[in-house]
Amino acid sequence: RNAGMNPTAGPSTFGAGSSSAAAMSPADQAKDESNLVASKLFTFDKESLQKVRNAKAWMSDPKYFKKVKVSGVAAMKMMNHAVSGVEKGMKSPGGKPVEVMGLMLGRPHLENHDTLIVTDVFPLPVEGAETRVLADDQEVLNYMIDLGESLEKTRQERFMGWYHSHPFDVDVYSHCFLSGTDVATQLQWQRSEDRNGNPWLAIVVDPLRSLAKGRPELGAFRVYPPDYTAPSNETPDGQIVTDDKIRMERWGSCWNRYHALDVSFFFSKLSSDSLSIVSQNVLWMNALTSTSALEPENRDRLAERILAVSNKLQADGSTSLKGQKLNSRILGFLSSTSTAEEMGATKNDRLPGSSLEKFSRNSTELSVEQCQSLSAQLTKYLLFCSQQE
């Protein structure tokens, strides 16, 4: 409004629609256009969507879908649900985080046919142990039926997938993978839904790693049909890895039975504008007034992570490389009869893929996190406290 009335702006700035464009920088205009495009993902033509569902192109190609677009609201709801499971589990007598589960609402993309869209998620009253999350209780099934019936009256999308958390201790690799139980569950859903024009998706959230890294850690997956044989040594992300130990550590024991999809996030224009207002008015203060690594909960978690690395390292044992037989637990793909000299190793070498290399990477990540936190805290001190003293 002010830009349209600015006498120095020239006559071209007057008129509806042109004043806001003149006041916006090229970066803001690009962002606004991107938000408008993202907003269109929340709407769709029913007839066009039905044609995509009727075609069922994904039935003939196990790797038909390559990408997933997750709305910001859906991502935040998944993260909040997963973190609530961690907090609830830590307060329980056992003191261990619990897995949680929910359903996702969405559809296939009408233009980019290799893309799925997740617009919203709904938590389920399901909690699981460290190795499995099941929704086979009659009360839970009734809840899912009632939820589906209520959404049919208010939403045009369908349930198109499920999500659950893997609240395991922070490690070198992310815990976003499918376990044997997850693969069986996803396969059952895909067999039921894919043939009915509703491609089914699985998302796994790693809440502890998300808290430690300060960013959402989640992975999206679909499983292969039982009669499909994946390329030899191909991991879910499409890479060729010959070391079975590394494959299992990163992707679980069923690493060759599913594939990963690229995940990106989108916001509607209203959500983006609201988030910008909150960031400008509130969130910037949090960055100056608090340091997440110094909070009591994070300090306790850091001590536990350091102790876990130390215990694993002690359990694995220390082996001098020079002149000694190489321990297969340390050196992974090497046989226990190989010597360091035969492999060209020196006293200070850490062979790739070894347990010692993994411990080193884990320790490095912990050190980097602490250095970043302490550097931020020191910067705040120099800016706000040093002159007063």
Side-chain angles (χ1 to χ4, degrees):
R1 183 166 58 248
N2 293 336
M5 300 179 62
N6 185 356
T8 63
S12 62
T13 61
F14 291 91
S18 61
S19 60
S20 59
M24 296 173 61
S25 66
D28 291 336
Q29 291 182 18
K31 181 180 179 181
D32 193 54
E33 293 176 0
S34 176
N35 291 336
L36 291 175
V37 172
S39 297
K40 294 180 180 179
L41 296 178
F42 290 97
T43 61
F44 57 90
D45 180 68
K46 292 184 179 180
E47 294 183 0
S48 300
L49 177 59
Q50 192 58 46
K51 290 180 180 179
V52 173
R53 295 191 186 280
N54 293 337
K56 305 176 186 177
W58 50 84
M59 296 296 293
S60 59
D61 183 3
K63 293 184 177 181
Y64 182 80
F65 292 105
K66 306 290 192 304
K67 303 175 183 178
V68 179
K69 290 183 176 294
V70 182
S71 72
V73 172
M76 286 187 286
K77 290 175 69 174
M78 283 190 286
M79 292 303 306
N80 288 337
H81 189 201
V83 172
S84 69
V86 173
E87 294 175 347
K88 182 177 180 179
M90 296 302 292
K91 294 178 182 178
S92 64
K96 292 184 178 181
V98 297
E99 295 187 23
V100 297
M101 175 182 168
L103 294 176
M104 301 185 295
L105 206 67
R107 59 178 175 83
H109 201 295
L110 298 184
E111 298 176 359
N112 303 325
H113 294 165
D114 64 345
T115 303
L116 291 171
I117 299 174
V118 179
T119 56
D120 205 350
V121 299
F122 296 88
L124 293 177
V126 179
E127 295 178 358
E130 188 172 283
T131 55
R132 50 187 274 164
V133 173
L134 295 177
D136 55 3
D137 183 81
Q138 187 61 43
E139 183 179 351
V140 176
L141 295 177
N142 292 336
Y143 179 89
M144 293 169 62
I145 294 174
D146 293 340
L147 178 61
E149 291 177 350
S150 64
L151 290 176
E152 286 180 358
K153 301 176 182 178
T154 58
R155 306 291 288 268
Q156 297 181 353
E157 303 98 329
R158 299 183 187 176
F159 285 130
M160 48 76 67
W162 66 300
Y163 73 89
H164 71 287
S165 63
H166 279 180
F168 310 146
D169 287 334
V170 180
D171 209 335
V172 173
Y173 301 109
S174 169
H175 294 297
C176 295
F177 64 88
L178 295 183
S179 65
T181 301
D182 300 337
V183 169
T185 302
Q186 174 65 14
L187 180 60
Q188 183 179 4
W189 278 111
Q190 282 187 205
R191 282 177 165 177
S192 173
E193 296 293 326
D194 281 19
R195 67 182 65 180
N196 294 320
N198 187 33
W200 198 258
L201 177 71
I203 284 184
V204 180
V205 183
D206 187 345
L208 293 180
R209 189 175 183 86
S210 300
L211 293 173
K213 302 300 180 183
R215 61 176 184 269
E217 289 280 345
L218 55 86
F221 310 101
R222 276 175 58 84
V223 303
Y224 298 132
D227 57 351
Y228 176 79
T229 302
S232 179
N233 296 324
E234 183 180 88
T235 55
D237 59 351
Q239 297 184 6
I240 303 299
V241 180
T242 57
D243 191 321
D244 189 58
K245 184 178 180 181
I246 294 179
R247 292 184 305 212
M248 293 188 64
E249 285 181 350
R250 175 61 186 93
W251 300 107
S253 59
C254 298
W255 58 269
N256 60 344
R257 297 311 310 155
Y258 64 95
H259 67 100
L261 287 71
D262 294 334
V263 180
S264 60
F265 304 96
F266 68 94
F267 289 87
S268 67
K269 187 177 186 305
L270 178 60
S271 297
S272 180
D273 292 344
S274 301
L275 186 61
S276 297
I277 293 174
V278 173
S279 299
Q280 293 174 5
N281 296 338
V282 178
L283 296 183
W284 67 271
M285 291 185 287
N286 292 340
L288 296 177
T289 58
S290 64
T291 302
S292 60
L294 298 181
E295 295 177 359
E297 181 179 351
N298 289 335
R299 290 204 304 267
D300 294 341
R301 290 295 304 169
L302 175 65
E304 293 175 2
R305 291 168 63 187
I306 294 176
L307 181 61
V309 174
S310 176
N311 291 339
K312 290 179 181 179
L313 185 58
Q314 291 179 2
D316 202 87
S318 57
T319 304
S320 175
L321 288 178
K322 187 174 182 180
Q324 299 291 332
K325 299 293 182 179
L326 297 182
N327 191 327
S328 59
R329 291 181 299 159
I330 289 288
L331 300 174
F333 60 88
L334 298 177
S335 66
S336 59
T337 58
S338 301
T339 64
E341 287 76 9
E342 290 172 353
M343 300 304 300
T346 63
K347 184 176 181 180
N348 297 323
D349 279 346
R350 294 194 307 267
L351 298 183
S354 68
S355 298
L356 189 59
E357 176 69 14
K358 179 182 177 181
F359 297 144
S360 176
R361 290 174 57 187
N362 207 335
S363 302
T364 300
E365 287 191 4
L366 290 172
S367 302
V368 170
E369 289 177 16
Q370 290 304 298
C371 287
Q372 291 175 341
S373 174
L374 294 175
S375 297
Q377 190 69 10
L378 179 60
T379 301
K380 297 172 189 177
Y381 174 79
L382 294 175
L383 287 173
F384 303 111
C385 302
S386 60
Q387 294 181 356
Q388 297 179 4
E389 298 180 358

